[in-house]
Amino acid sequence: MALTGTRPTEEPALAPGDTTAYLLRLGVSAPAAPTGEALDELQRAHLTHVPFENLDIALGRPIRLDLDALVRKVLRDGRGGYCYELNGLFAALLRPMGYAADLLSARVTTEGGGVTEEFDHLALLVTSPHLSQPHLVDVGFGDAFLQPLPMEDGLSRQEGEKAVGLARGDDGRWGYCEDHGNGWEAQYLFSTRPRRMAEFEERNRWQQTSPQSHFTQKRVASRVTRTGRVTLTLSSGVQRLITTENGFRSERDIPVADVARVLEEHFGIRLDDTAVLRLTSAAWSRGGP
């Protein structure tokens, strides 16, 4: 399959030292070649070791999308991030390994059959001479697909308790879809047109400041585990730890005094008492830092 588009001229890649630090955090070695198997391993390792989280919004810390800022936050400070940060940095890791990684704009589906604005989500289209076709890659959409998806119309693959797949519409746009046993539902829609990170800046600001953004309404940290997933949500004065192990889901509320320990133990995130107090403030949950 050939998916064409005008690739942006500026494609930042990590410096060798940062690449080494990134791979060390992921717990994997640099691949000998940019193969599909290596790409599978890299995405799964990223989902396991780098949490999806939006805590900086509640802390009043602006989220910047330039490469230096992403390296500082994820590699130097041991944090995670949301889609623009995680997929943007992951693309910069893939490029020096021989993969071409294009940024894609995606619109997330909403209740009632609507979709969000363009640039609401950032995903990746990855190619290499060792891949027979382009792959959709995403390490920044929470509980989505664990391994890259070959760009095949009608693709379906079982992952744990759900099926994941791709469908192409008559307008040429693609949909990432899931089936939890009640039929296929699109999660987000996207085209394969390559984008620049600068095109996501306006929506990135909206995500951090708008009362309508779900990122200003709830704080979350989540990552894949060996047997499932672990998630911490902080909303309306309630701190809830959600774990899924071998398909069994459990939830428990935790006291404020345990939040710092849980963040470090499960997500590797270290915050001081002042930051934890702000994260757990019920008043902030109405939106806006």
Short mmCIF file of all heavy atoms in Angstrom, two decimals, residues 213-247:
data_model
loop_
_atom_site.label_atom_id
_atom_site.label_comp_id
_atom_site.label_asym_id
_atom_site.label_seq_id
_atom_site.Cartn_x
_atom_site.Cartn_y
_atom_site.Cartn_z
N SER A 213 -12.53 21.26 27.76
CA SER A 213 -11.52 20.20 27.57
C SER A 213 -11.61 19.21 28.73
O SER A 213 -11.60 19.61 29.89
CB SER A 213 -10.12 20.81 27.51
OG SER A 213 -9.13 19.80 27.64
N HIS A 214 -11.67 17.91 28.41
CA HIS A 214 -11.73 16.95 29.51
C HIS A 214 -10.42 16.90 30.29
O HIS A 214 -10.37 16.41 31.41
CB HIS A 214 -12.13 15.55 29.01
CG HIS A 214 -11.18 14.92 28.05
ND1 HIS A 214 -11.25 15.11 26.70
CD2 HIS A 214 -10.13 14.09 28.26
CE1 HIS A 214 -10.30 14.42 26.10
NE2 HIS A 214 -9.60 13.81 27.01
N PHE A 215 -9.34 17.45 29.71
CA PHE A 215 -8.07 17.49 30.43
C PHE A 215 -8.06 18.54 31.53
O PHE A 215 -7.23 18.48 32.43
CB PHE A 215 -6.91 17.74 29.45
CG PHE A 215 -6.66 16.60 28.52
CD1 PHE A 215 -6.78 16.76 27.15
CD2 PHE A 215 -6.28 15.36 29.01
CE1 PHE A 215 -6.55 15.70 26.28
CE2 PHE A 215 -6.05 14.29 28.16
CZ PHE A 215 -6.18 14.47 26.79
N THR A 216 -8.95 19.52 31.47
CA THR A 216 -9.07 20.48 32.57
C THR A 216 -10.11 20.05 33.59
O THR A 216 -10.28 20.72 34.62
CB THR A 216 -9.44 21.89 32.04
OG1 THR A 216 -10.75 21.85 31.45
CG2 THR A 216 -8.43 22.39 31.03
N GLN A 217 -10.78 18.96 33.34
CA GLN A 217 -11.83 18.49 34.23
C GLN A 217 -11.39 17.31 35.10
O GLN A 217 -11.95 17.06 36.16
CB GLN A 217 -13.07 18.09 33.42
CG GLN A 217 -13.66 19.24 32.62
CD GLN A 217 -14.75 18.76 31.68
OE1 GLN A 217 -15.46 17.80 31.96
NE2 GLN A 217 -14.89 19.44 30.55
N LYS A 218 -10.40 16.57 34.62
CA LYS A 218 -9.96 15.38 35.34
C LYS A 218 -8.45 15.22 35.19
O LYS A 218 -7.90 15.42 34.12
CB LYS A 218 -10.66 14.13 34.81
CG LYS A 218 -10.32 12.86 35.57
CD LYS A 218 -10.82 11.60 34.87
CE LYS A 218 -12.31 11.58 34.69
NZ LYS A 218 -12.77 10.29 34.11
N ARG A 219 -7.81 14.83 36.28
CA ARG A 219 -6.39 14.52 36.25
C ARG A 219 -6.23 13.00 36.20
O ARG A 219 -6.94 12.27 36.90
CB ARG A 219 -5.68 15.08 37.48
CG ARG A 219 -5.50 16.59 37.46
CD ARG A 219 -6.77 17.33 37.79
NE ARG A 219 -7.02 17.40 39.22
CZ ARG A 219 -8.24 17.58 39.73
NH1 ARG A 219 -9.29 17.70 38.95
NH2 ARG A 219 -8.40 17.65 41.04
N VAL A 220 -5.30 12.54 35.38
CA VAL A 220 -5.17 11.10 35.20
C VAL A 220 -3.71 10.72 34.94
O VAL A 220 -2.94 11.49 34.36
CB VAL A 220 -6.06 10.61 34.02
CG1 VAL A 220 -5.59 11.22 32.70
CG2 VAL A 220 -6.09 9.09 33.93
N ALA A 221 -3.35 9.53 35.40
CA ALA A 221 -2.08 8.90 35.04
C ALA A 221 -2.40 7.44 34.77
O ALA A 221 -3.12 6.80 35.54
CB ALA A 221 -1.04 9.03 36.15
N SER A 222 -1.88 6.89 33.66
CA SER A 222 -2.25 5.53 33.27
C SER A 222 -1.13 4.90 32.46
O SER A 222 -0.46 5.59 31.68
CB SER A 222 -3.54 5.56 32.45
OG SER A 222 -3.98 4.25 32.12
N ARG A 223 -0.92 3.61 32.65
CA ARG A 223 0.06 2.90 31.84
C ARG A 223 -0.30 1.42 31.76
O ARG A 223 -1.06 0.88 32.58
CB ARG A 223 1.48 3.06 32.40
CG ARG A 223 1.73 2.36 33.72
CD ARG A 223 3.19 2.42 34.14
NE ARG A 223 3.39 1.68 35.38
CZ ARG A 223 3.61 0.36 35.44
NH1 ARG A 223 3.65 -0.36 34.33
NH2 ARG A 223 3.77 -0.24 36.60
N VAL A 224 0.26 0.76 30.77
CA VAL A 224 0.10 -0.68 30.59
C VAL A 224 0.99 -1.40 31.60
O VAL A 224 2.08 -0.94 31.94
CB VAL A 224 0.48 -1.07 29.15
CG1 VAL A 224 0.60 -2.59 28.99
CG2 VAL A 224 -0.55 -0.52 28.17
N THR A 225 0.51 -2.53 32.10
CA THR A 225 1.32 -3.40 32.95
C THR A 225 1.47 -4.77 32.29
O THR A 225 0.89 -5.03 31.23
CB THR A 225 0.66 -3.59 34.34
OG1 THR A 225 -0.58 -4.30 34.18
CG2 THR A 225 0.38 -2.24 34.99
N ARG A 226 2.22 -5.64 32.92
CA ARG A 226 2.45 -6.97 32.36
C ARG A 226 1.15 -7.75 32.23
O ARG A 226 0.98 -8.54 31.30
CB ARG A 226 3.44 -7.73 33.23
CG ARG A 226 3.82 -9.10 32.70
CD ARG A 226 4.90 -9.74 33.57
NE ARG A 226 4.47 -9.83 34.95
CZ ARG A 226 3.72 -10.83 35.44
NH1 ARG A 226 3.32 -11.82 34.63
NH2 ARG A 226 3.35 -10.85 36.70
N THR A 227 0.21 -7.50 33.14
CA THR A 227 -1.04 -8.26 33.13
C THR A 227 -2.27 -7.43 32.78
O THR A 227 -3.38 -7.94 32.78
CB THR A 227 -1.28 -8.89 34.52
OG1 THR A 227 -1.28 -7.86 35.52
CG2 THR A 227 -0.19 -9.92 34.83
N GLY A 228 -2.09 -6.14 32.49
CA GLY A 228 -3.24 -5.32 32.16
C GLY A 228 -2.92 -3.84 32.13
O GLY A 228 -2.17 -3.36 31.31
N ARG A 229 -3.47 -3.09 33.08
CA ARG A 229 -3.30 -1.63 33.11
C ARG A 229 -3.52 -1.12 34.53
O ARG A 229 -4.29 -1.72 35.30
CB ARG A 229 -4.30 -0.96 32.15
CG ARG A 229 -4.31 0.57 32.19
CD ARG A 229 -5.17 1.15 31.08
NE ARG A 229 -4.54 0.96 29.78
CZ ARG A 229 -3.64 1.78 29.25
NH1 ARG A 229 -3.26 2.87 29.92
NH2 ARG A 229 -3.12 1.54 28.07
N VAL A 230 -2.86 -0.02 34.86
CA VAL A 230 -3.08 0.66 36.12
C VAL A 230 -3.34 2.13 35.83
O VAL A 230 -2.65 2.75 35.01
CB VAL A 230 -1.89 0.49 37.09
CG1 VAL A 230 -0.59 1.03 36.49
CG2 VAL A 230 -2.18 1.15 38.43
N THR A 231 -4.35 2.71 36.48
CA THR A 231 -4.77 4.09 36.24
C THR A 231 -5.09 4.76 37.57
O THR A 231 -5.75 4.16 38.43
CB THR A 231 -6.01 4.14 35.33
OG1 THR A 231 -5.72 3.51 34.08
CG2 THR A 231 -6.45 5.57 35.09
N LEU A 232 -4.64 6.00 37.71
CA LEU A 232 -5.02 6.84 38.85
C LEU A 232 -5.80 8.02 38.33
O LEU A 232 -5.33 8.75 37.45
CB LEU A 232 -3.78 7.32 39.60
CG LEU A 232 -4.04 8.29 40.77
CD1 LEU A 232 -4.80 7.58 41.90
CD2 LEU A 232 -2.74 8.89 41.29
N THR A 233 -7.01 8.23 38.84
CA THR A 233 -7.81 9.40 38.47
C THR A 233 -8.00 10.29 39.69
O THR A 233 -8.18 9.80 40.81
CB THR A 233 -9.18 9.00 37.90
OG1 THR A 233 -9.93 8.31 38.90
CG2 THR A 233 -9.02 8.11 36.68
N LEU A 234 -7.95 11.60 39.44
CA LEU A 234 -8.13 12.59 40.50
C LEU A 234 -9.19 13.56 40.03
O LEU A 234 -8.95 14.35 39.12
CB LEU A 234 -6.81 13.32 40.78
CG LEU A 234 -5.59 12.43 41.08
CD1 LEU A 234 -4.31 13.24 40.98
CD2 LEU A 234 -5.72 11.79 42.44
N SER A 235 -10.37 13.49 40.62
CA SER A 235 -11.48 14.30 40.14
C SER A 235 -12.47 14.56 41.26
O SER A 235 -12.85 13.63 41.99
CB SER A 235 -12.18 13.60 38.98
OG SER A 235 -13.27 14.36 38.50
N SER A 236 -12.88 15.84 41.42
CA SER A 236 -13.91 16.22 42.39
C SER A 236 -13.60 15.73 43.79
O SER A 236 -14.48 15.25 44.52
CB SER A 236 -15.27 15.69 41.93
OG SER A 236 -15.61 16.20 40.66
N GLY A 237 -12.34 15.81 44.17
CA GLY A 237 -11.96 15.43 45.53
C GLY A 237 -11.87 13.93 45.76
O GLY A 237 -11.71 13.50 46.91
N VAL A 238 -11.95 13.12 44.72
CA VAL A 238 -11.86 11.67 44.85
C VAL A 238 -10.60 11.18 44.15
O VAL A 238 -10.35 11.53 42.99
CB VAL A 238 -13.10 10.98 44.24
CG1 VAL A 238 -12.95 9.46 44.30
CG2 VAL A 238 -14.36 11.43 44.96
N GLN A 239 -9.80 10.38 44.88
CA GLN A 239 -8.59 9.79 44.31
C GLN A 239 -8.84 8.29 44.13
O GLN A 239 -9.02 7.59 45.13
CB GLN A 239 -7.39 10.01 45.23
CG GLN A 239 -7.07 11.47 45.52
CD GLN A 239 -8.00 12.11 46.54
OE1 GLN A 239 -8.53 13.19 46.32
NE2 GLN A 239 -8.23 11.43 47.67
N ARG A 240 -8.85 7.83 42.90
CA ARG A 240 -9.24 6.44 42.65
C ARG A 240 -8.15 5.70 41.87
O ARG A 240 -7.69 6.17 40.82
CB ARG A 240 -10.55 6.41 41.87
CG ARG A 240 -11.12 5.00 41.62
CD ARG A 240 -12.59 5.11 41.30
NE ARG A 240 -13.33 5.63 42.46
CZ ARG A 240 -14.52 6.22 42.34
NH1 ARG A 240 -15.10 6.36 41.17
NH2 ARG A 240 -15.14 6.67 43.43
N LEU A 241 -7.75 4.55 42.39
CA LEU A 241 -6.78 3.69 41.73
C LEU A 241 -7.53 2.54 41.07
O LEU A 241 -8.26 1.80 41.74
CB LEU A 241 -5.76 3.15 42.73
CG LEU A 241 -4.62 2.32 42.14
CD1 LEU A 241 -3.73 3.20 41.25
CD2 LEU A 241 -3.80 1.67 43.25
N ILE A 242 -7.35 2.41 39.75
CA ILE A 242 -8.05 1.40 38.97
C ILE A 242 -7.02 0.44 38.39
O ILE A 242 -6.07 0.88 37.70
CB ILE A 242 -8.86 2.04 37.83
CG1 ILE A 242 -9.80 3.11 38.38
CG2 ILE A 242 -9.63 0.99 37.03
CD1 ILE A 242 -10.38 4.02 37.31
N THR A 243 -7.16 -0.83 38.64
CA THR A 243 -6.23 -1.83 38.11
C THR A 243 -7.01 -2.89 37.34
O THR A 243 -8.11 -3.28 37.73
CB THR A 243 -5.42 -2.51 39.23
OG1 THR A 243 -6.32 -3.11 40.17
CG2 THR A 243 -4.54 -1.49 39.96
N THR A 244 -6.42 -3.31 36.23
CA THR A 244 -6.97 -4.42 35.45
C THR A 244 -5.88 -5.48 35.35
O THR A 244 -4.78 -5.21 34.87
CB THR A 244 -7.38 -3.96 34.04
OG1 THR A 244 -8.32 -2.89 34.15
CG2 THR A 244 -8.02 -5.11 33.27
N GLU A 245 -6.19 -6.68 35.83
CA GLU A 245 -5.24 -7.79 35.80
C GLU A 245 -5.92 -8.99 35.17
O GLU A 245 -6.92 -9.49 35.70
CB GLU A 245 -4.76 -8.13 37.21
CG GLU A 245 -3.96 -7.01 37.88
CD GLU A 245 -3.42 -7.44 39.24
OE1 GLU A 245 -2.41 -8.17 39.24
OE2 GLU A 245 -4.01 -7.06 40.25
N ASN A 246 -5.36 -9.41 34.04
CA ASN A 246 -5.89 -10.58 33.33
C ASN A 246 -7.40 -10.47 33.10
O ASN A 246 -8.15 -11.44 33.26
CB ASN A 246 -5.57 -11.86 34.11
CG ASN A 246 -4.07 -12.06 34.29
OD1 ASN A 246 -3.31 -11.90 33.34
ND2 ASN A 246 -3.65 -12.39 35.49
N GLY A 247 -7.85 -9.26 32.74
CA GLY A 247 -9.25 -9.03 32.42
C GLY A 247 -10.14 -8.70 33.60
O GLY A 247 -11.31 -8.37 33.41
#
